Every structure is written in structure tokens, then in C-alpha cells.
Amino acid sequence: MLTGVRIVVLGGDARQLEVIRKCAELDATVSVVGFDQLEQVIPGIEHRELEDDVFASADVLVLPVVSCDDQGKVSSSFSDTAIVLKKEHMAALPEHCTVFTGMAKPFLRELCQENGLRLIEVLDRDDIALCNSIPTAEGAIAIAIKETDITIHGSECIVLGIGRTGFTLAKTLQGLGANVRVGIRRNEDAVRAAIMGWKPFMTTDLAAQTGEVDLLFNTIPTMIITAQILSRMPQKAVIIDLASAPGGCDFRYADKRGIKALLAPGLPGIVAPKTAGGIIADALIRLLLEEQNAREVKS
Ligand code: NAP
């Protein structure tokens, strides 16, 4: 149980509702800022304004998955009131407070450092990234279905990168009956791909692979689908770039050639906010319970 733990949730989207709900269910004291337009009632939480005293007693400050922008602006899907995280808010947090987010912007990192606060960036963790790969793969396939006039079954698919996201995506496409090739750069990944029944190729040979492709999915966070690659691709091909912004595709040139190329960020939060929020909530709760156990063992 999280009895006696004070959690302040500042802004966010539908994913944060799972965090709020699950923490409140475990008896944490949950204060939320930026949820004034929330229509559903979550029992056992208090709605607060952005005031220093909200911060002063927080054991955990939960920020949206994307944290805040470089001016401290925190987005909230459930409020029209601007939420701006200021230096004085962070300075008001107790020393033991943990700041919890998906991925922090430099602004937040600096403020945490200045105030000696522990910052947890949960999307960094392997277990979370792997869990997130499932809604990401499903979201990518939903886009593929919408943007093509062919079935995934029998289509020629290439997945670039078989890290956490690429692996799950390749497996899901294979499950739907696609012919899956994967672009890799390490020999061990070639073996891993062969074991999975995918055809591996080195990304340095990408140009030779794209002649007959229907769907090209990218998970490599660097410029990989260059103008040179695009110049040899069939116009019917659809590119779905999952890598973090700015992606790994020359979108300008793709557009010039009439090839449909889409950057598709934040899919878990778009296609499966409840699942994605649950993944984040479970990670936060696990962390808090582990800390609680460690304290109990010490005392
Ligand atoms: P990951 O586990 O690190 O996988 C990245 C893959 O890219 C690895 O296989 C890596 O190969 C490969 N790679 C990196 N640089 C390469 C290069 N220069 N040449 C060839 N291969 C290269 O990362 P991930 O968790 O799968 O995430 C991949 C990207 O998707 C990230 O940008 C992440 O932010 C993004 N993402 C997007 C969404 C969304 O909703 N769109 C959701 C989750 C993640 P090695 O193993 O050899 O390094």
C-alpha cells in the first residue's frame, strides 16, 4: 500500500489518469493540478491550483510522459489553464522528493540537478520500453492498414532496427502473414532475425532491398532513409517512421517523389492510453513499493 505517500500529478493526458487512479487505489494521497475539465470522478483525489504549498509536502512529483518544454510549460489535456513549472516550484519540493516522468527535457534535468532532486525517466528503462513496444507496434500497424490499399498478409515489409520496438513490430507483422525483412548492423542480430524467420540484411545494403517493398518501418533514430534510398523506391511504398523526432527519413525528398512517408511519434499514448498509462503507473508503484521495502529492511 502507498498509505502516507503524497503524490502530486502535474498535467498530462489520458495516460496520467491510470497513474492517478492506481496510486489512489493504493491509498496514496494524490493531488492533481491541471485536471479541472476532467469529466469522470476519480475517488480519493484532491484537485489543486498551481501553488507553492502543493509542492512543499510532495514525496513524488509526477510530470507528463514528455515532461515539460524548455520554458517549463507542462501540457494538460484536461485544462485550458496554462501550467508553467517554475524554478520556485522545484525549489519548494522537499529534498527527498522524486520527480517522475517519461522523458525529461534539459530544462527539467537542470532544475532537478540544481535542487538535488532525484529524477526518474521511466521510458529509459528496458522493461518499460519493451512493454511500450506492444502498443507502438499495434499503432504502427493501424497506420499501415489505414494508409495502404493492400493487406498486411502477403505484403513485403521491411523493419529497420530490431531493438525493443523493431523486434516486437517485426514479430507482429510476421504474425499477420507479412514477408518480413529486417535491417540490422550486427552479426548477432542477423542470427537472431534468422531464428525468428525474418530475412536480415545489413542497413548498409538498404538501397538494394527496397525495390519491391510495400511497407518500410523505421525504428533507427538517425538519418537512414536518405534521398538516395528514396530515389530507388517504388512510389506505392509507404514509409512509417517510428524513430523519435526528427525521425530517420528525408521527408522532403519523399514528398517530392510522391512517396507517402509519415513520422508517427507517441503511438502508445494515442492508440492505447489506458495500457500505456498502466505501464507507467505500474513502474511508479513498483519503484515506490521497492523503496518502502528497502526502508523497512533498514529500520
Ligand atoms: P532500441 O531498443 O535502442 O533500438 C534501436 C535499434 O536501432 C537497435 O536495433 C540499434 O541497433 C539500431 N540502430 C541504431 N543506430 C543505428 C545505425 N546507425 N545503423 C543501424 N542500426 C542502428 O530503441 P527502441 O526502444 O526500439 O526505440 C527506437 C526508436 O523508436 C527511438 O527513437 C524511440 O524514441 C522511438 N520510439 C517511438 C515510439 C513511437 O510511438 N513512435 C515508441 C517507442 C519508441 P544496435 O542494437 O546495433 O545499436
Side-chain angles (χ1 to χ4, degrees), residues 103 123 126 129-130 132-133 136 160-167 183-186 189 203 218-222 224 241-245 264-269:
M103 256 185 307
L123 292 186
D126 247 1
L130 279 168
N132 254 331
S133 72
T136 306
L160 297 177
I162 54 166
R164 297 164 300 195
T165 306
F167 191 96
I184 43 102
R185 64 174 170 182
R186 290 189 288 131
D189 275 342
T203 45
N218 178 47
T219 73
I220 298 176
T222 188
I224 183 116
D241 195 345
L242 303 174
S244 48
L267 290 176

Side-chain angles (χ1 to χ4, degrees), residues 63-265:
L63 290 167
V65 177
V66 292
S67 73
C68 57
D69 70 10
D70 287 333
Q71 279 73 48
K73 187 165 186 289
V74 175
S75 66
S76 179
S77 308
F78 302 100
S79 181
D80 285 338
T81 313
I83 305 174
V84 181
L85 191 63
K86 298 200 173 119
K87 282 187 177 210
E88 50 267 36
H89 296 141
M90 297 300 277
L93 289 169
E95 231 173 68
H96 72 270
C97 179
T98 298
V99 179
F100 190 90
T101 184
M103 256 185 307
K105 293 278 164 29
F107 177 84
L108 181 66
R109 282 207 194 108
E110 279 161 28
L111 280 184
C112 288
Q113 215 169 13
E114 267 173 35
N115 292 286
L117 296 164
R118 184 160 72 126
L119 173 67
I120 306 270
E121 294 181 68
V122 80
L123 292 186
D124 247 6
R125 292 172 41 159
D126 247 1
D127 54 341
I128 305 302
L130 279 168
C131 289
N132 254 331
S133 72
I134 300 166
T136 306
E138 289 187 12
I141 287 167
I143 296 173
I145 290 171
K146 184 166 169 275
E147 297 296 337
T148 56
D149 53 7
I150 56 168
T151 56
I152 302 281
H153 186 99
S155 66
E156 288 298 323
C157 291
I158 291 178
V159 178
L160 297 177
I162 54 166
R164 297 164 300 195
T165 306
F167 191 96
T168 305
L169 177 58
K171 186 173 176 296
T172 313
L173 289 165
Q174 180 185 39
L176 288 170
N179 300 315
V180 180
R181 278 173 279 159
V182 294
I184 43 102
R185 64 174 170 182
R186 290 189 288 131
N187 289 333
E188 57 265 43
D189 275 342
V191 179
R192 196 169 283 128
I195 292 169
M196 292 302 296
W198 313 325
K199 290 195 187 108
F201 64 88
M202 289 295 165
T203 45
T204 42
D205 297 331
L206 179 58
Q209 293 288 330
T210 49
E212 292 303 317
V213 69
D214 295 308
L215 283 156
L216 174 56
F217 298 89
N218 178 47
T219 73
I220 298 176
T222 188
M223 177 50 68
I224 183 116
I225 310 168
T226 58
Q228 194 199 1
I229 303 284
L230 289 161
S231 68
R232 299 190 192 183
M233 272 178 70
Q235 260 188 334
K236 59 156 192 174
V238 173
I239 298 167
I240 300 171
D241 195 345
L242 303 174
S244 48
C249 174
D250 186 336
F251 289 101
R252 184 202 60 84
Y253 188 71
D255 188 42
K256 192 169 177 183
R257 274 222 59 216
I259 295 174
K260 205 182 275 179
L262 308 156
L263 185 63

